[in-house]
Amino acid sequence: MTTPEAGFAVPAGALGDLAHADLVGRLAREIYGQGNAASAPFAASLPASPQDAPVGTLSAPSGALPSGYQPDASALAARNFGGPAVGLPGLTGPSPANPVGGTPAPVSAGFLDTTTIPSVHPLLDPLAPARLPEFFVPSVPSVAGFLPGGPDLHRQIAADHPRAAAFASAIAPGLVPADPSKAGVDVSQENFQRTGHLSGDPVRTVQHGGDEPFASGDYYFLTGSPRNAKPHASPRVEPSRRDGPAPRVTSQGSSPVAAPFDVEHVRKDFPALHQGINGHRLVWLDNAATTHKPQSVIDATSEFYGRHNSNIHRAAHTLAARSTDLFEGGREKVRRFLNAPSKDDIVFLRGTTEAINLVAASYGRANVGPGDEIIVSTIEHHANIVPWQLLTEATGATLRVIPVNDRGEIIFEQFAALLSGSTKIVSITHVANALGTVNPVREIIALSHAYGVPVLVDAAQSTPHIPIDVQSLDADFVVFSGHKVFGPTGIGALYGKKHLLEAMPPWQGGGHMIEDVTFSKTVYKGAPEKFEAGTPDIAGAVGLGAALDYLESIGLPAIAAYEHDLLEYAQAGLADIKGLRLIGTAREKASVMSFVIDGQTNEAVAHHLDRHGVAVRSGHHCALPALRRFGVDQSIRASLAFYNTREDVDVFLKALRQLRRS
């Protein structure tokens, strides 16, 4: 475990039996929500559809806590999946009166008693050092590694919630490790430094500096399940160097068809890529922040303002009819892109952030109250944290957080332990913007639905890279932004299941969303219009539709395969950079590389790269909890798109090697 506070080493025997037992109890209660009964074995019986009665019921919280914080053990009774709350006998958990540990350390513990052990939830611990990072949750194996008992500690804690673990195993056996002591151990970081490869990769990696394309393996980014995938045909990624439109790689099921990917032809479609920066050609590796626009998108937006400009729906003249058709045509293209059942399931908004705020304000205010819970993960963008925090502050609900292991992957069985009858919504990113982790959203949705809990999928970082089918996923809400998918800024979309959108109240009032207004009552239109008050970004919707047309003309299966080859090539090169630590080594990863370099500030590295024409992002990437999980507040992030090339990667790596070492 790499954290700012991991410097204390605990010699064997430094803690007495009671102190050690107290830490076991604290971990069981704080990390696992006070655990589940270690009672009769649980045979999961999964319903075919969301059930009315919850599988697990969380007893009501007691005591006063700041709204929005996860309750500690004294405020949150034991989770119970059908059995009595047993926990660990003879132990008392932390409480507001004794926040550090309920069972006192014996005198034999000496200088290292429980008061010196940082709380897992530092915000709830008034005695915790102020410099502890917010939302930091250490992994259990990491803590267990230096305590008496070693890996047995993890097994002991894991045994405290067998029902949740069994339920998780029934839904997604490939995501729950057979040996708990191995869960979350990041051997991939050491392997990355030694070989340039991430251990446990489901696909064969590409050696940096070679010309061999990505060939064979399990396309987890297309199938969603690398453990059950079959080998696919090999997409050839060399440029075909011919005239005409870039070839489209279609798919048969989830298998990409072998075809050339003409990256040089694709690059010609993006005028912004062909400019000089500081005497060098532009190498754009800031795609996770925003993507450049093909000429077809620029033309569509310009043509709208040049020929069709008019407000929509509420006029009988020709330009209004044209504008309305173009705007609703953009909605239909979003429907097709996500495979939504109806275009009425698509709401236009400014982007992912506004879409999440809409769901939190409308669905959340109508369905979430005191004592209810909302689940997010440690690796979310701030846009998928702050709206839910605002909701908890307004309602008295609680925000609960799925921890991640040292690779940056969510710990699925701990997600299962968080779910209960008090859970009202799960909001999860598909691809983590700071780490590139591809979350198992299909399995997350399936497990949540077994509890009757809806799921919002933040697809801002996945829609440019991975085909998404909302009906196949059975997602309740999906949100994404236009500027991430090579479209205009200030436009995005929310997909919602029809029955959910119909039941949700409007969240803003104004023109276009009403049927009738009197001073005593207003009658609203149905979805999607009731969520689109005022004049929308009509040109943005037209441009977004053009961007989705462009992506479809190439094919996301081809894009995913090409980008995966490029990511493997780039990571192999990063492994040769002295002092570089890659942050985020998930086995299933999209084209994001976050890293820090010993002896270098992130901003200095980014400025150095800019002097060589290479654009990367430095900072916290609006994902502070994710980065703090790995002991840093900021990082450098290089992110790839399908218009990047191996030559781009080589320029980037060469510039990194020219950094002056302090």
Side-chain angles (χ1 to χ4, degrees), residues 471-552:
Q471 295 188 73
S472 175
L473 288 175
D474 198 23
D476 301 284
F477 300 103
V478 172
V479 297
F480 75 99
S481 298
H483 72 104
K484 308 285 190 185
V485 290
F486 315 95
T489 58
I491 188 70
L494 160 70
Y495 158 78
K497 285 183 175 177
K498 181 179 180 180
H499 71 279
L500 293 174
L501 294 180
E502 287 179 345
M504 288 163 54
W507 78 307
Q508 292 179 335
H512 181 60
M513 46 84 73
I514 54 94
E515 288 285 1
D516 186 42
V517 175
T518 68
F519 286 109
S520 60
K521 183 180 181 181
T522 295
V523 179
Y524 304 109
K525 290 184 177 179
E529 286 86 358
K530 70 175 174 179
F531 302 113
E532 295 177 346
T535 299
D537 184 356
I538 307 168
V542 173
L544 175 57
L548 300 182
D549 282 343
Y550 184 85
L551 285 176
E552 284 192 354

Side-chain angles (χ1 to χ4, degrees), residues 78-435:
R79 290 199 177 281
N80 179 5
F81 290 83
V86 175
L88 299 174
L91 297 178
T92 58
S95 68
N98 185 11
V100 178
T103 304
V107 176
S108 61
F111 72 97
L112 187 58
D113 59 19
T114 53
T115 64
T116 66
I117 301 173
S119 172
V120 173
H121 299 296
L123 291 179
L124 294 179
D125 188 348
L127 300 181
R131 62 185 181 277
L132 274 177
E134 184 181 358
F135 297 113
F136 170 65
V137 180
S139 65
V140 179
S142 301
V143 176
F146 60 79
L147 285 172
D152 291 337
L153 177 61
H154 186 278
R155 295 190 184 95
Q156 184 176 356
I157 297 171
D160 197 45
H161 68 293
R163 296 175 178 273
F167 206 13
S169 296
I171 291 285
L175 297 177
V176 180
D179 182 356
S181 68
K182 304 298 183 185
V185 178
D186 186 17
V187 295
S188 57
Q189 190 68 251
E190 178 183 353
N191 198 40
F192 168 73
Q193 295 293 342
R194 183 167 51 86
T195 67
H197 299 165
L198 299 179
S199 64
D201 281 347
V203 294
R204 184 174 62 78
T205 55
V206 178
Q207 295 289 342
H208 176 257
D211 294 327
E212 183 182 8
F214 177 79
S216 83
D218 296 336
Y219 288 84
Y220 62 80
F221 39 79
L222 299 181
T223 65
S225 180
R227 298 157 188 84
N228 301 319
K230 298 179 180 179
H232 303 300
S234 304
R236 300 193 302 276
V237 296
E238 74 278 6
S240 62
R241 303 191 184 283
R242 59 177 176 78
D243 295 328
R248 177 177 181 179
V249 177
T250 58
S251 61
Q252 298 172 345
S254 61
S255 303
V257 177
F261 185 88
D262 191 348
V263 65
E264 295 300 332
H265 188 86
V266 165
R267 287 178 61 83
K268 294 177 182 177
D269 294 333
F270 292 84
L273 298 178
H274 307 287
Q275 60 179 299
I277 300 294
N278 296 322
H280 301 271
R281 72 174 184 86
L282 173 64
V283 175
W284 184 258
L285 300 181
D286 196 18
N287 294 287
T290 196
T291 55
H292 286 298
K293 320 308 172 193
Q295 190 63 51
S296 59
V297 171
I298 298 170
D299 290 344
T301 307
S302 178
E303 183 182 15
F304 171 80
Y305 283 123
R307 295 192 66 242
H308 312 298
N309 182 50
S310 171
N311 215 322
I312 57 173
H313 290 301
R314 299 181 298 277
H317 57 73
T318 300
L319 266 62
R322 285 187 199 164
S323 295
T324 300
D325 288 345
L326 289 168
F327 181 78
E328 294 301 330
R331 197 190 306 273
E332 168 59 24
K333 290 173 182 179
V334 174
R335 183 213 65 78
R336 187 176 67 222
F337 181 69
L338 298 176
N339 192 33
S342 167
K343 73 181 184 68
D344 291 340
D345 303 332
I346 306 299
V347 180
F348 278 129
L349 296 148
R350 288 185 299 156
T352 300
T353 298
E354 189 171 55
I356 296 174
N357 274 276
L358 186 159
V359 177
S362 179
Y363 178 87
R365 296 294 178 100
N367 293 278
V368 177
D372 291 335
E373 297 183 353
I374 302 157
I375 296 178
V376 298
S377 81
T378 304
I379 55 177
E380 300 300 325
H381 189 283
H382 294 168
N384 201 26
I385 299 174
V386 179
W388 304 113
Q389 286 181 328
L390 293 173
L391 179 62
T392 63
E393 291 170 2
T395 62
T398 297
L399 188 67
R400 295 181 68 83
V401 182
I402 311 168
V404 298
N405 62 26
D406 292 339
R407 292 186 296 265
E409 302 161 333
I410 69 165
I411 304 173
F412 194 74
E413 66 271 30
Q414 294 198 18
F415 166 56
L418 289 176
L419 280 165
S420 78
S422 293
T423 307
K424 294 305 180 185
I425 191 166
V426 173
S427 192
I428 192 83
T429 185
H430 193 178
V431 170
N433 76 303
L435 308 181

Side-chain angles (χ1 to χ4, degrees), residues 573-607:
L574 286 178
D576 296 332
I577 306 298
K578 184 178 179 181
L580 185 144
R581 177 164 72 96
L582 192 65
I583 299 172
T585 55
R587 291 164 293 185
E588 302 181 14
K589 184 177 179 181
S591 51
V592 170
M593 296 164 287
S594 279
F595 59 91
V596 293
I597 301 177
D598 291 343
Q600 300 284 344
T601 67
N602 298 315
E603 189 175 7
V605 173
H607 281 309

